[in-house]
Structure formats: C-alpha cells, structure tokens
Amino acid sequence: MLQVKKLCKTFGAVTAAENLNVNIDVNSTIGLIGSNGAGKTTFLNMITGYLSPDSGSIFFRDKNITGKPPRYITRQGVYRSFQIPQLFDSMTTEENLEISKSIAASEISIDGNQEAKVESKNQSVKEILEKFQLTEFQNQTASNLPEGTRKLLDIAMALIMGPNLLLLDEPTSGVAAEDKFKIMDMIMNVVETETTAIIFVEHDMEIIKKYTNRTLAFFNGKIIADGATKEVLSHPSVKANVLGLTSQDSKL
Amino acid sequence: MPDKTLTFTSIAALTLVISGGVLPQWAIFLVTVSLCYGTVVLGMILLARTGLVSFGHGLYYCLGAYSAGTSKLFWGISDLIFMLLTAIILTATISFALGFLLRKYRSIFFAMLSLAFSMILYGLLSKSSYLGSTDGFNVTTQTIFGYDFLDSGYARYIIFLITTFTAWLCCFLMHLYLKSNKGRLADAVKDNELRVEYLGASAAKIIHTNYVISAVLAGLGGALMAISIGHIDPEMSYWTTSGEFVFITIMAGTSSVLAPFFGSMLFTTVRSFAYEYSPDTWQLLLGTTMLIIIIFLPDGLWSLFTRKKKHRSV
Amino acid sequence: MNSIVAIIIDGLVYSSWLFIVAVGLTLIYGVMKILNIAHGSFYAIGAYTAASLTGSWLALGYDQSTAFLIMLFSAVLVGFTLGPIIERGILKYMYQRDEIVLVLVTYALFLMLEDIIKLIWGVNPYFLYQPYGLLGSFEIVELTYPNYNLLLIGCAITIGCFLTWFLQKTRHGKILLAVIHDREIASTQGINVDRVYFLTFTLGTVLAALGGVLTAPMISVQPGIGAETIVMAFAVVVVGGLGSLPGAALAAILIGLVRSGAVHLFPDLDLFSIYLVMATVLIFKPKGLFSAQEERQI
C-alpha cells in the first residue's frame, strides 16, 4: 500500500534520512523505534508532506505523493496524530471532532482532484466520543483539557474519517504509565485493521512488543533493522544503538 | 427554531427603517455613516476570526468609494445600484488577485503587506490630478433603478433605506456563512492551521475566500459612504483610516455579526460629539479606550452581553 | 549626468534619513518582537521638543552653534523619559500576549500620544531653520546642497557603526544578540530578559526621538508627521527583514534610491514607489531581505 524508495533528507550537516526503502502492506501494525534525532519523526513528516525529501519517492496506493502538500496526502486517506497535540483550542471536544469530520467530508480544496476523495468508513462523532471515553469532556474547551485527554482527542481527530494509513507520533507519551495500554487498546479497537495499516513512533518497548507485528529501527537517519518485532528487538545492532539508549530514556 | 441573531437583526433593521421617518436629518446621517462603517467592520471580523488583522482595509473601502464615485466619469451612469455593483466587481477582482499573494502571510506580515497595498493606492490617488489629487471630488447620485430621486426631497431617506437594507443583508448572509461548515473553518484556521491542513483542507484557500468576502464588504461600505456623504478623497486609503476599522473591530469584538454595527454606532456617535466639543482629545479617548479593552475585555465590548450567559450555563 | 548625480545624492540623503528613523524600530522588534507603532509618536515628540527647546534657547541669545547640543539633549531627554514610562508602565504587562496584540497596544499608544502632542504644542507648526543654514553648503556638478545633508549621512553611518560595534563587541550588546537569537535559551542562561527589554526599549526610543530631532530643521513640525513617518519606517524594517540591522541599512538604501529616482524622473510616483518596493520585495522574499529561518513545529 505504501512504497518508500531511496528516500533522503538532510538538514545542513545533519542527515535525517539516508536511503530509506520501506514497503508497507494493508493489515499491518508497524512500530518505529530509535533514539531522539534518529529520523523517525522526519520519516513521518515526509510521508505526510510536512517535509519534502531531497531525493527518493513515496507512493501510496500506486499514486506518487512525494513532496505533495499535507492536505493532498490527507485526502488520499493518510491521517496522522502529533507528538504535541494539535487541537482547535478555542473549541469544545465535540466541536473539534465535528469540524474534523466536516472538513474531511467537504469538498474544500482537493486541488481539483475529485477521485482523491476518501472512501469513508467514517464513524459518527458520538461513536468516537464513546469509544475514546471522551463523552464526559464533550462540552469542555480543548485548551482546558488535561494533557492525556488532549492526546486522546488528537488521535481521535485523525481517526474519525477511518484512515487507510494511520500514522501516530508517540501516542502514549505524556500519558500516565497505567493508562498506556488502555489508550492503545482504544485505538486498536477503533481501527479496522483489515483495511488499514498503522505506523507509530514509540519509545516504550512494552507497547512495541504488545501491539506491533513489524518494527523498523532507526539510527542516524538509517533503518538499521526491519522485520518481525521480536527479531528486530533482538538484533545486536538494535540492542546496542537503540535499546541501550531507550532504556535510559524511559524511566518507567 | 428561529435564529435569535437573525430575528434581532431584522427587528433592528425594521426599527431603523420606521424611525428614519421621524428622526432628524443629522441623526439619519449619523446612522447611515455608522452602517457604512459597520459593513466594512463586518468584513474585518471575518478576517479577525480567521486570525488576521489588516492594517490596509482602507484599500477596498477607498476602491469601493472611488469606483462608485467615478461611475459617472467612466460610464456616464450615476445610478445608485450601478455604483454599488461596480464597487462589488472592482473590489472582488482586485482582492481575488491580491489574495494569491496575501494568503501566504500571517500576523504582522499580513498587516504590513495590506498596509503597503493601501498606501500604494493612496500614493497613486493623491498624485492623480484627473481625480482631484488629495482634495478628492464630489459624488452625485442621480437615479436609483433609473428613477430620478435626487430632487424628490426624499434623497437622503432613500439612501438611508438602501444603506440599511444592504447592511441588513450583509449581516444576515454573514451570520449564515459563519454558521455554515465553510464559515466555521475560519475559527479552525485561527486556532490551528497545521491541523486544518492535516484534515485535508487548504488554510490558504479559506483565508483567500474570507479575504475576498471582507474586501467586497469594505468596498460596499466605501461605496455607500461615497453615496451618502457625496464626497471622496484619497484619505480613505490612508493607513489611519484602516486603523479606525481595526479599532472598531477590537472594540466591538468578533463574536457576533451585530457587534460591528453596535461598535460603529458608538464610534461615530462619540466621534461627532468629540469633534464638536473637544477635537484635540478625540484620539486620546480612542487610544485609552482601546488600551482598556485590550487589557480588560480581550473579546471586545460585545462580550459584556454574552459573558453573563456563559457563566449561567457552566 | 546632472540628474544622475542628483538622484544619487538625494537618494543617499533620503536613505540616511530612512535608516535613522527606522533603526530603533528594527532593534526593538529584534529584541522584543514588538512592531512599535508608537515609534512614530516618539519621532514626532523628538522633533517638537528639539524645535521648541532649541528655539527658546537661541532666543536667549546663545551662540547658534550650541543649537546642536540642545538638539542632542532633546533626543536623550525624550528617550529617557518616554521610553521607561511606557515600557515599565504598560508594555511590561503585555509581553505574554500575541505579536499582533502588541501592535494594537502600540497603536493605542500612538493615538494617545498624537493628541498629547497637540495638547502640549498646539496645532500650529514649529520651525527650526537655524541649524540647516548654519553649516553652509557644498557644490557638485553645478548643484548646490546644504551641508546639513552631509551631517545626516554622517549621523546614519555613525549610528549604524555604533550599533554594530555595540552588538558585536560589548558585553551588553552580546546579551542583546543572544536574546534576538533565542529568547528562551537566553533566559535559561541567566540573562535578565526583563532588564534587557527595558534597556532596549529606552535605546529604541532615544533613536526614534533622535530621528525626529535631526529631521526637525528640514520640515515644518506639525501634527501628522508621526503618522507619515512611521509607515515609511515600517516599509524599511519589513523590506530589510524584521529585526535585522544590516537588513534595515540595505532596505533604506534601496528605498532611498528608488524613491529619489522616482521623484526626479516620475514625480507622480513619489509615495507610490516606496510601497511598490515593499510589495515587490515581499513577493519574492516573504520575510524581507534578511530573515531568520523558521523552526520545525512538529
């Protein structure tokens, strides 16, 4: 479904992506691991159009989306959440979801590309509120929500139109340790994995082990291991370069 | 369920139309001017809700006024409706073109680039002797729908009626627009443009659309002003004129389509008294009011009406 | 030939003037992120103070050459009075607000000061013609220029060099540069940002007043000069890239020469030319000639 070929990106002297080649199929859940600055978020940012790669190509369902703006890529059914929640702060939880739905459903700016419209397996606002246990917050202004709830709403906004490819940037960061599995369960519950692929950046190896069937390990802008999660986590180079750091990072 | 704002707008407009029959000339004039200003500011609140402040909306105000004013000169027609139409077409065209550039800018850059464009027009008009340079020229409106009304004795009242009707219509449509899915995106762009893009909409297009709408409203306000005052000059495009619109926008607040009219009414009334009794302290009063509002009422005077309601519901 | 020389000389004089009136504005924006509309009022107050103080001083019969000392004193007096009052009294409480709100605050201050000027000095014009004639004139290819123009160019260069030296070489200057570069890092490194703001605003105000003081001998000092000048200063700092000192210098030269060319060749395009430069530059360099890179948001 997603083909990434020879993707490269540098910021000045820093190499954020070096010859990345990845193929992703429907019905897979993929974890991205690596220390801070290893290139995970840059990878997500290039797929979703926030950054243009220096070279290489990205195809989504056989359509070239390399260097296209975020709105175009979103319209193909690629939705994402953010490390720092990106909400409409002056609106209530319910309004945030309503407006997400109305934008996704509207005709505004498909850049003349009608066929790009998402085939929606979309959920109603009410359903999403219930599934994410946000009902009690529905009339609260987003700026007043507790951090964990903001994170959840951010993810819910990406999910409401039923994405074909869902990218989550650290879905459990800033969430209390005892809630992390609950949140992941909610997400997995809402996403129909048969038709969707999920990619998420995560520092927590327990989450990676429990929810992913494939893992990509990043180091200095390169993918140093790609395969079944269990194998990647026991890969010597990953142990040395990724896990050595992450076990220090997460003092959980 | 009837919409409260729409009902109130219509009642207010009707009241104005009826009271226009008994009000003294100076009051009718004051209300007319307020409605013209209000129409311009109505556009400014749409921009403000999109997160933008323009220090150059005088550009469209002035363009509207000049296109109405030069209608006789260029087309040989001095019909009120035709004058309004030229204003709409001209401001829509120019704002559509400039919008491609301006929609890339935010915050102070948007404010400053708009200011630059309005000053370009000011510079051009104040040097063009053909259009009266800095003195401007007088505007005569002879007919309406081809009916010669100028010497009928009701000219002022008819202009007042047209202004009221236009203001009411703009208010009505703007309210519907702001409630619509498209209109609500203004708030979304202001809150978080990045998220808007990541939901699949183009923030630039939303800004562009709202910019054109606000420009046309400013043009209409300017044209109506030219028609009711009967005189125009390049000062309408000077940055301090745009500053007055910014002032009323901030003072009134952006939460309701009625706020700009309420704000303009207050502004023009106080101004006419200040000019009369203490011309050298008018701006002092404006500045002080503005500071107080920014510090104590960041949502504008209109929030005084809505604030109570919110407290009750929480 | 004559007209080319005239365009260049007039252009340079005008550039110098633009730089002097805009430099304080760009400094304050660079450090404090405030686009200060009240800068125009400080300029006007500087001009009024110089005109009235120097006028009364010379009326007392002192030697005409002392006029320049009084003018300098006027700039310092205005800067050190207004700057602290406005920064400590009002702006200090606004720093956490949005950039555009700060513009509105300074716009409110501008409106207030416009009338305060009228209340103090009335609406009739003031003239300070003595210093202009005092310095004599020079001739170049049959064109005569007052030496005061040279003084203006000299002042612009001096101010530019002084600020560059101050920012690059002195401890205080380096602190300012650190704050311009990154406010948050600067404050975590123990820099007292509050104090830096206070000093910057005062310095910026002195520079604004100095602009007015130096202009006073060339114009009739009357209501409206602040509003006229501030928009040109805006054009300079926006073209140069907000907050950039070399940018402001380059922009002043560019705008100065273009306008001078317009005045000589197409007089009808005088004012128009300034904003045309501004619009053109912004179309190709949306953040001005010298602008900082934006950071990643996500």
Side-chain angles (χ1 to χ4, degrees), chain C residues 1-50:
Chain C
M1 177 62 199
N2 277 12
S3 67
I4 294 177
V5 174
I7 287 173
I8 291 175
I9 293 180
D10 283 347
L12 288 180
V13 172
Y14 191 62
S15 302
S16 307
W17 178 79
L18 281 174
F19 180 72
I20 294 170
V21 297
V23 68
L25 192 65
T26 208
L27 182 73
I28 289 179
Y29 184 84
V31 177
M32 306 168 75
K33 299 286 172 286
I34 297 178
L35 191 61
N36 180 20
I37 298 184
H39 194 83
S41 314
F42 300 157
Y43 161 90
I45 293 172
Y48 270 106
T49 311

Short mmCIF file of all heavy atoms in Angstrom, two decimals, chain C residues 1-50:
data_model
loop_
_atom_site.label_atom_id
_atom_site.label_comp_id
_atom_site.label_asym_id
_atom_site.label_seq_id
_atom_site.Cartn_x
_atom_site.Cartn_y
_atom_site.Cartn_z
N MET C 1 23.52 63.64 -16.95
CA MET C 1 24.61 63.49 -15.97
C MET C 1 24.22 64.15 -14.65
O MET C 1 24.23 63.53 -13.60
CB MET C 1 25.88 64.14 -16.54
CG MET C 1 27.06 64.12 -15.58
SD MET C 1 27.54 62.40 -15.18
CE MET C 1 28.46 62.66 -13.70
N ASN C 2 23.81 65.42 -14.75
CA ASN C 2 23.40 66.13 -13.55
C ASN C 2 22.32 65.40 -12.80
O ASN C 2 22.34 65.29 -11.57
CB ASN C 2 22.87 67.53 -13.91
CG ASN C 2 24.02 68.50 -14.08
OD1 ASN C 2 25.18 68.07 -14.14
ND2 ASN C 2 23.70 69.77 -14.17
N SER C 3 21.36 64.90 -13.59
CA SER C 3 20.22 64.29 -12.90
C SER C 3 20.65 62.99 -12.23
O SER C 3 20.14 62.63 -11.18
CB SER C 3 19.07 64.07 -13.87
OG SER C 3 19.42 63.09 -14.81
N ILE C 4 21.63 62.28 -12.81
CA ILE C 4 22.09 61.04 -12.16
C ILE C 4 22.76 61.37 -10.83
O ILE C 4 22.47 60.75 -9.80
CB ILE C 4 23.08 60.27 -13.08
CG1 ILE C 4 22.32 59.79 -14.31
CG2 ILE C 4 23.70 59.10 -12.34
CD1 ILE C 4 23.19 59.10 -15.32
N VAL C 5 23.62 62.39 -10.85
CA VAL C 5 24.27 62.81 -9.60
C VAL C 5 23.22 63.24 -8.59
O VAL C 5 23.25 62.85 -7.42
CB VAL C 5 25.27 63.97 -9.87
CG1 VAL C 5 25.83 64.51 -8.56
CG2 VAL C 5 26.39 63.49 -10.78
N ALA C 6 22.26 64.01 -9.08
CA ALA C 6 21.22 64.49 -8.17
C ALA C 6 20.45 63.31 -7.58
O ALA C 6 20.16 63.27 -6.37
CB ALA C 6 20.27 65.42 -8.91
N ILE C 7 20.12 62.33 -8.43
CA ILE C 7 19.36 61.18 -7.93
C ILE C 7 20.17 60.45 -6.86
O ILE C 7 19.65 60.10 -5.80
CB ILE C 7 19.03 60.21 -9.08
CG1 ILE C 7 17.94 60.81 -9.96
CG2 ILE C 7 18.55 58.85 -8.54
CD1 ILE C 7 17.66 60.01 -11.22
N ILE C 8 21.47 60.28 -7.12
CA ILE C 8 22.28 59.53 -6.16
C ILE C 8 22.43 60.29 -4.85
O ILE C 8 22.24 59.74 -3.77
CB ILE C 8 23.66 59.19 -6.77
CG1 ILE C 8 23.46 58.16 -7.89
CG2 ILE C 8 24.61 58.64 -5.72
CD1 ILE C 8 24.69 57.82 -8.66
N ILE C 9 22.74 61.58 -4.96
CA ILE C 9 22.92 62.34 -3.72
C ILE C 9 21.62 62.42 -2.93
O ILE C 9 21.57 62.10 -1.75
CB ILE C 9 23.47 63.75 -4.02
CG1 ILE C 9 24.90 63.62 -4.57
CG2 ILE C 9 23.47 64.61 -2.75
CD1 ILE C 9 25.55 64.92 -4.90
N ASP C 10 20.55 62.81 -3.62
CA ASP C 10 19.25 62.87 -2.91
C ASP C 10 18.90 61.51 -2.35
O ASP C 10 18.38 61.40 -1.23
CB ASP C 10 18.14 63.31 -3.89
CG ASP C 10 18.19 64.81 -4.15
OD1 ASP C 10 18.91 65.50 -3.39
OD2 ASP C 10 17.54 65.26 -5.11
N GLY C 11 19.17 60.48 -3.13
CA GLY C 11 18.86 59.12 -2.69
C GLY C 11 19.61 58.76 -1.43
O GLY C 11 19.04 58.21 -0.49
N LEU C 12 20.89 59.10 -1.39
CA LEU C 12 21.69 58.75 -0.21
C LEU C 12 21.23 59.53 1.01
O LEU C 12 21.17 58.99 2.12
CB LEU C 12 23.17 59.00 -0.48
CG LEU C 12 23.83 57.99 -1.44
CD1 LEU C 12 25.29 58.33 -1.64
CD2 LEU C 12 23.67 56.56 -0.91
N VAL C 13 20.91 60.81 0.78
CA VAL C 13 20.43 61.62 1.91
C VAL C 13 19.12 61.02 2.44
O VAL C 13 18.95 60.82 3.64
CB VAL C 13 20.20 63.08 1.48
CG1 VAL C 13 19.53 63.88 2.59
CG2 VAL C 13 21.52 63.72 1.09
N TYR C 14 18.25 60.68 1.50
CA TYR C 14 16.97 60.12 1.91
C TYR C 14 17.16 58.76 2.57
O TYR C 14 16.50 58.44 3.57
CB TYR C 14 16.04 60.02 0.69
CG TYR C 14 14.62 59.71 1.07
CD1 TYR C 14 13.90 60.60 1.85
CD2 TYR C 14 14.01 58.53 0.67
CE1 TYR C 14 12.61 60.32 2.22
CE2 TYR C 14 12.72 58.24 1.03
CZ TYR C 14 12.02 59.13 1.81
OH TYR C 14 10.74 58.84 2.19
N SER C 15 18.08 57.96 2.05
CA SER C 15 18.38 56.66 2.65
C SER C 15 18.84 56.84 4.09
O SER C 15 18.44 56.10 4.98
CB SER C 15 19.49 55.95 1.88
OG SER C 15 19.13 55.80 0.55
N SER C 16 19.72 57.82 4.29
CA SER C 16 20.24 58.06 5.63
C SER C 16 19.10 58.40 6.57
O SER C 16 19.02 57.91 7.69
CB SER C 16 21.23 59.22 5.63
OG SER C 16 22.21 59.00 4.66
N TRP C 17 18.23 59.27 6.09
CA TRP C 17 17.10 59.67 6.91
C TRP C 17 16.25 58.44 7.25
O TRP C 17 15.87 58.22 8.40
CB TRP C 17 16.25 60.72 6.18
CG TRP C 17 15.06 61.13 6.96
CD1 TRP C 17 15.04 62.01 8.01
CD2 TRP C 17 13.72 60.65 6.80
NE1 TRP C 17 13.76 62.11 8.50
CE2 TRP C 17 12.94 61.30 7.79
CE3 TRP C 17 13.11 59.76 5.93
CZ2 TRP C 17 11.56 61.07 7.92
CZ3 TRP C 17 11.74 59.52 6.07
CH2 TRP C 17 10.99 60.18 7.05
N LEU C 18 15.96 57.63 6.22
CA LEU C 18 15.14 56.42 6.45
C LEU C 18 15.79 55.50 7.47
O LEU C 18 15.14 54.98 8.37
CB LEU C 18 14.96 55.65 5.14
CG LEU C 18 13.93 56.16 4.15
CD1 LEU C 18 14.00 55.35 2.87
CD2 LEU C 18 12.53 56.09 4.74
N PHE C 19 17.11 55.33 7.34
CA PHE C 19 17.80 54.44 8.27
C PHE C 19 17.69 54.97 9.69
O PHE C 19 17.38 54.22 10.62
CB PHE C 19 19.27 54.29 7.87
CG PHE C 19 20.04 53.39 8.78
CD1 PHE C 19 19.83 52.01 8.75
CD2 PHE C 19 20.96 53.90 9.69
CE1 PHE C 19 20.52 51.17 9.60
CE2 PHE C 19 21.66 53.05 10.54
CZ PHE C 19 21.44 51.68 10.49
N ILE C 20 17.89 56.29 9.85
CA ILE C 20 17.85 56.86 11.19
C ILE C 20 16.46 56.69 11.82
O ILE C 20 16.34 56.32 12.98
CB ILE C 20 18.23 58.36 11.15
CG1 ILE C 20 19.70 58.50 10.74
CG2 ILE C 20 18.02 59.01 12.52
CD1 ILE C 20 20.12 59.92 10.43
N VAL C 21 15.40 56.91 11.03
CA VAL C 21 14.06 56.80 11.65
C VAL C 21 13.64 55.34 11.83
O VAL C 21 12.73 55.05 12.60
CB VAL C 21 12.96 57.55 10.86
CG1 VAL C 21 13.25 59.04 10.85
CG2 VAL C 21 12.78 57.01 9.48
N ALA C 22 14.29 54.40 11.11
CA ALA C 22 13.83 53.01 11.19
C ALA C 22 14.67 52.14 12.11
O ALA C 22 14.22 51.09 12.55
CB ALA C 22 13.79 52.40 9.79
N VAL C 23 15.89 52.58 12.41
CA VAL C 23 16.81 51.68 13.10
C VAL C 23 16.31 51.30 14.51
O VAL C 23 16.41 50.15 14.93
CB VAL C 23 18.24 52.28 13.12
CG1 VAL C 23 18.32 53.51 14.00
CG2 VAL C 23 19.23 51.23 13.58
N GLY C 24 15.72 52.26 15.20
CA GLY C 24 15.20 51.97 16.55
C GLY C 24 14.06 50.96 16.49
O GLY C 24 13.92 50.09 17.34
N LEU C 25 13.26 51.09 15.44
CA LEU C 25 12.10 50.21 15.26
C LEU C 25 12.55 48.76 15.06
O LEU C 25 12.00 47.83 15.66
CB LEU C 25 11.32 50.68 14.03
CG LEU C 25 9.93 50.11 13.80
CD1 LEU C 25 9.00 50.53 14.91
CD2 LEU C 25 9.38 50.58 12.47
N THR C 26 13.57 48.58 14.24
CA THR C 26 14.01 47.22 13.95
C THR C 26 14.74 46.62 15.15
O THR C 26 14.61 45.43 15.45
CB THR C 26 14.87 47.17 12.67
OG1 THR C 26 14.72 45.89 12.08
CG2 THR C 26 16.33 47.44 12.90
N LEU C 27 15.45 47.47 15.90
CA LEU C 27 16.13 46.99 17.11
C LEU C 27 15.09 46.49 18.12
O LEU C 27 15.21 45.39 18.68
CB LEU C 27 16.94 48.14 17.72
CG LEU C 27 17.74 47.79 18.96
CD1 LEU C 27 18.94 46.93 18.57
CD2 LEU C 27 18.23 49.04 19.70
N ILE C 28 14.06 47.30 18.35
CA ILE C 28 13.02 46.91 19.32
C ILE C 28 12.31 45.65 18.85
O ILE C 28 12.06 44.74 19.62
CB ILE C 28 12.01 48.07 19.52
CG1 ILE C 28 12.68 49.19 20.31
CG2 ILE C 28 10.77 47.58 20.26
CD1 ILE C 28 11.81 50.38 20.55
N TYR C 29 12.04 45.55 17.54
CA TYR C 29 11.39 44.33 17.08
C TYR C 29 12.30 43.12 17.26
O TYR C 29 11.87 42.07 17.74
CB TYR C 29 10.94 44.42 15.61
CG TYR C 29 10.21 43.16 15.24
CD1 TYR C 29 8.86 43.04 15.53
CD2 TYR C 29 10.88 42.06 14.72
CE1 TYR C 29 8.19 41.86 15.29
CE2 TYR C 29 10.22 40.87 14.49
CZ TYR C 29 8.88 40.77 14.77
OH TYR C 29 8.22 39.60 14.55
N GLY C 30 13.57 43.28 16.91
CA GLY C 30 14.51 42.17 17.01
C GLY C 30 14.56 41.60 18.41
O GLY C 30 14.49 40.39 18.60
N VAL C 31 14.66 42.48 19.39
CA VAL C 31 14.82 42.02 20.77
C VAL C 31 13.48 41.65 21.39
O VAL C 31 13.33 40.61 22.02
CB VAL C 31 15.53 43.09 21.62
CG1 VAL C 31 15.62 42.65 23.07
CG2 VAL C 31 16.91 43.37 21.06
N MET C 32 12.48 42.53 21.21
CA MET C 32 11.24 42.38 21.98
C MET C 32 10.08 41.81 21.18
O MET C 32 9.04 41.52 21.74
CB MET C 32 10.83 43.74 22.55
CG MET C 32 11.93 44.41 23.35
SD MET C 32 11.57 46.13 23.72
CE MET C 32 10.34 45.93 25.00
N LYS C 33 10.24 41.66 19.87
CA LYS C 33 9.16 41.21 18.99
C LYS C 33 7.94 42.12 19.07
O LYS C 33 6.80 41.69 19.02
CB LYS C 33 8.75 39.76 19.31
CG LYS C 33 9.89 38.76 19.14
CD LYS C 33 10.17 38.50 17.67
CE LYS C 33 11.41 37.65 17.46
NZ LYS C 33 12.68 38.39 17.69
N ILE C 34 8.21 43.42 19.21
CA ILE C 34 7.12 44.39 19.19
C ILE C 34 7.31 45.29 17.97
O ILE C 34 8.35 45.92 17.82
CB ILE C 34 7.14 45.28 20.46
CG1 ILE C 34 6.91 44.43 21.69
CG2 ILE C 34 6.10 46.38 20.36
CD1 ILE C 34 6.97 45.22 22.98
N LEU C 35 6.31 45.33 17.10
CA LEU C 35 6.34 46.26 15.99
C LEU C 35 5.67 47.54 16.49
O LEU C 35 4.46 47.64 16.56
CB LEU C 35 5.58 45.68 14.79
CG LEU C 35 5.75 46.43 13.49
CD1 LEU C 35 7.21 46.45 13.06
CD2 LEU C 35 4.91 45.82 12.40
N ASN C 36 6.52 48.48 16.85
CA ASN C 36 6.08 49.59 17.69
C ASN C 36 5.54 50.77 16.88
O ASN C 36 6.31 51.59 16.38
CB ASN C 36 7.28 50.02 18.54
CG ASN C 36 6.95 51.16 19.46
OD1 ASN C 36 5.79 51.42 19.75
ND2 ASN C 36 7.98 51.85 19.92
N ILE C 37 4.21 50.87 16.76
CA ILE C 37 3.63 52.00 16.01
C ILE C 37 3.90 53.32 16.71
O ILE C 37 4.08 54.35 16.08
CB ILE C 37 2.10 51.78 15.80
CG1 ILE C 37 1.86 50.52 14.97
CG2 ILE C 37 1.48 52.98 15.10
CD1 ILE C 37 0.43 50.26 14.61
N ALA C 38 3.98 53.28 18.06
CA ALA C 38 4.25 54.50 18.82
C ALA C 38 5.62 55.10 18.49
O ALA C 38 5.91 56.23 18.85
CB ALA C 38 4.14 54.22 20.32
N HIS C 39 6.45 54.34 17.80
CA HIS C 39 7.73 54.84 17.31
C HIS C 39 7.53 56.16 16.55
O HIS C 39 8.32 57.09 16.69
CB HIS C 39 8.35 53.79 16.38
CG HIS C 39 9.79 54.02 16.06
ND1 HIS C 39 10.81 53.63 16.90
CD2 HIS C 39 10.40 54.59 14.99
CE1 HIS C 39 11.97 53.95 16.35
NE2 HIS C 39 11.75 54.54 15.19
N GLY C 40 6.44 56.22 15.77
CA GLY C 40 6.13 57.44 15.03
C GLY C 40 5.89 58.62 15.96
O GLY C 40 6.28 59.75 15.66
N SER C 41 5.23 58.34 17.08
CA SER C 41 4.97 59.42 18.03
C SER C 41 6.26 59.87 18.71
O SER C 41 6.47 61.06 18.93
CB SER C 41 3.99 58.97 19.11
OG SER C 41 2.92 58.31 18.54
N PHE C 42 7.14 58.91 19.04
CA PHE C 42 8.41 59.28 19.66
C PHE C 42 9.20 60.17 18.71
O PHE C 42 9.83 61.14 19.14
CB PHE C 42 9.25 58.04 19.99
CG PHE C 42 8.58 57.08 20.94
CD1 PHE C 42 8.94 55.74 20.97
CD2 PHE C 42 7.59 57.51 21.81
CE1 PHE C 42 8.33 54.85 21.83
CE2 PHE C 42 6.97 56.63 22.67
CZ PHE C 42 7.34 55.30 22.68
N TYR C 43 9.14 59.84 17.45
CA TYR C 43 9.80 60.63 16.41
C TYR C 43 9.24 62.06 16.43
O TYR C 43 9.97 63.04 16.47
CB TYR C 43 9.58 59.96 15.06
CG TYR C 43 9.78 60.82 13.84
CD1 TYR C 43 11.03 60.91 13.24
CD2 TYR C 43 8.71 61.53 13.29
CE1 TYR C 43 11.22 61.68 12.10
CE2 TYR C 43 8.89 62.31 12.16
CZ TYR C 43 10.14 62.39 11.57
OH TYR C 43 10.31 63.16 10.45
N ALA C 44 7.89 62.14 16.42
CA ALA C 44 7.26 63.46 16.39
C ALA C 44 7.59 64.25 17.64
O ALA C 44 7.91 65.44 17.58
CB ALA C 44 5.74 63.30 16.24
N ILE C 45 7.55 63.59 18.80
CA ILE C 45 7.83 64.29 20.05
C ILE C 45 9.28 64.78 20.06
O ILE C 45 9.58 65.89 20.52
CB ILE C 45 7.52 63.38 21.26
CG1 ILE C 45 6.01 63.13 21.33
CG2 ILE C 45 8.01 64.00 22.56
CD1 ILE C 45 5.59 62.11 22.35
N GLY C 46 10.19 63.96 19.51
CA GLY C 46 11.58 64.39 19.39
C GLY C 46 11.68 65.67 18.57
O GLY C 46 12.35 66.63 18.96
N ALA C 47 10.97 65.68 17.43
CA ALA C 47 11.02 66.85 16.56
C ALA C 47 10.45 68.09 17.27
O ALA C 47 11.05 69.17 17.24
CB ALA C 47 10.23 66.58 15.28
N TYR C 48 9.30 67.91 17.92
CA TYR C 48 8.69 69.04 18.64
C TYR C 48 9.60 69.55 19.75
O TYR C 48 9.78 70.76 19.91
CB TYR C 48 7.35 68.61 19.25
CG TYR C 48 6.17 68.82 18.33
CD1 TYR C 48 5.55 67.77 17.69
CD2 TYR C 48 5.69 70.11 18.11
CE1 TYR C 48 4.47 67.96 16.86
CE2 TYR C 48 4.60 70.32 17.27
CZ TYR C 48 3.99 69.24 16.65
OH TYR C 48 2.92 69.46 15.82
N THR C 49 10.15 68.61 20.53
CA THR C 49 11.00 69.03 21.64
C THR C 49 12.20 69.80 21.13
O THR C 49 12.54 70.87 21.66
CB THR C 49 11.47 67.79 22.44
OG1 THR C 49 10.35 66.98 22.72
CG2 THR C 49 12.15 68.19 23.73
N ALA C 50 12.84 69.28 20.09
CA ALA C 50 14.01 69.96 19.53
C ALA C 50 13.62 71.35 19.04
O ALA C 50 14.29 72.34 19.33
CB ALA C 50 14.60 69.13 18.40
#
